[in-house]
Amino acid sequence: MCGRFTQRYTWEEVQAFLNLTGPALNLRPRYNVAPSQEVAVVRTSGDGRSLSMLRWGLIPSWAREPNIGYKLINARAETASAKPSFRAAWRAGLPDPGRRLLRVDPPGRGEAAVAVRAEGRRAVRLRRAMGALDGTRGDGVHGIARRMGAGGEAIETCTILTTAANATVARIHNRMPVILPPDAFAPWLSGEAVPLGPYPADAMTAHPVSTLVNRPANDDPRCVEPVAA
């Protein structure tokens, strides 16, 4: 469902908004983030919040091949805690739960963008940080890396949580990303119970964008510009 999004902010912008304490990252504007690519994800630990680059497409610890990540770019919020592919990330122990924030765009710059497929391969941009799960879990992931000949390092991965569509998104798809308001960031990251239902429809807008987003190599402002329906 959620197959593209944007991340268009500087380190200074996201650091100020989310009060990050970890090392700075050199972030470039992204207009067409695609599965298997690295995405900037907020983590929390005893040292505070930090920004890390994780591969989009969760690879469970039991997976034999890393390509399973292409099938696990999204997880249903209603069932992620029980599904074999996602439950380890969901239940990971505190103080470092598997819950993450996938910060999309800062306030004043569209706030988020998610491209979803509909009839006729139409891509639509939605405006509004999304909930995410971290799939980096111990020796299973290390084993995949070794079999890939990558020197034994861990592959750090994540997935985007989805929920039922609100009225704005329902015209396009029956699912939408879980979008968290700022007052839910801290509870979510600390492992508390947070409502994961649809975001208010009247707080979102949507517009068609070019089919340029169908090709991951296209990553420039044209990917988010409105086009005729």
Side-chain angles (χ1 to χ4, degrees):
M1 179 264 141
C2 176
R4 296 286 194 278
F5 61 91
T6 68
Q7 289 193 317
R8 300 178 298 159
Y9 47 68
T10 65
W11 163 258
E12 290 76 16
E13 287 173 324
V14 72
Q15 193 278 336
F17 184 70
L18 290 169
N19 192 30
L20 302 180
T21 59
L25 297 180
N26 183 20
L27 301 174
R28 67 179 181 86
R30 300 294 311 280
Y31 298 91
N32 191 26
V33 181
S36 82
Q37 295 179 353
E38 288 196 334
V39 297
V41 175
V42 180
R43 290 169 146 167
T44 187
S45 66
D47 298 324
R49 296 175 181 174
S50 61
L51 202 64
S52 301
M53 301 303 294
L54 274 63
R55 174 173 161 174
W56 181 21
L58 191 140
I59 303 175
S61 61
W62 46 260
R64 293 182 178 275
E65 297 293 337
N67 286 345
I68 192 174
Y70 286 99
K71 299 179 180 180
L72 300 178
I73 62 172
N74 295 156
R76 286 178 172 258
E78 302 92 332
T79 59
S81 63
K83 290 289 186 179
S85 297
F86 306 114
R87 63 190 177 199
W90 183 278
R91 300 174 182 177
L94 297 172
D96 184 23
R99 300 179 181 187
R100 308 295 183 223
L101 279 176
L102 189 61
R103 184 61 196 168
V104 186
D105 284 340
R109 197 178 292 177
E111 295 168 357
V114 181
V116 296
R117 302 303 178 104
E119 293 78 13
R121 296 176 62 83
R122 169 62 69 192
V124 178
R125 183 168 183 259
L126 308 174
R127 298 179 183 271
R128 260 327 229 188
M130 298 186 289
L133 296 177
D134 179 351
T136 304
R137 286 293 169 266
D139 291 339
V141 176
H142 281 267
I144 291 173
R146 282 196 294 270
R147 283 194 294 274
M148 292 174 64
E153 67 272 18
I155 303 174
E156 298 194 299
T157 64
C158 63
T159 189
I160 294 175
L161 292 171
T162 68
T163 187
N166 62 23
T168 298
V169 182
R171 300 191 299 267
I172 308 161
H173 200 281
N174 62 358
R175 303 290 295 177
M176 66 179 291
V178 170
I179 298 171
L180 300 178
D183 60 4
F185 291 177
W188 169 255
L189 288 172
S190 64
E192 298 177 28
V194 172
L196 300 178
Y199 199 78
D202 58 4
M204 300 180 67
T205 62
H207 65 250
V209 295
S210 168
T211 54
L212 285 170
V213 300
N214 291 344
R215 187 167 182 264
N218 297 325
D219 192 6
D220 59 66
R222 297 175 301 164
C223 292
V224 298
E225 293 173 354
V227 299

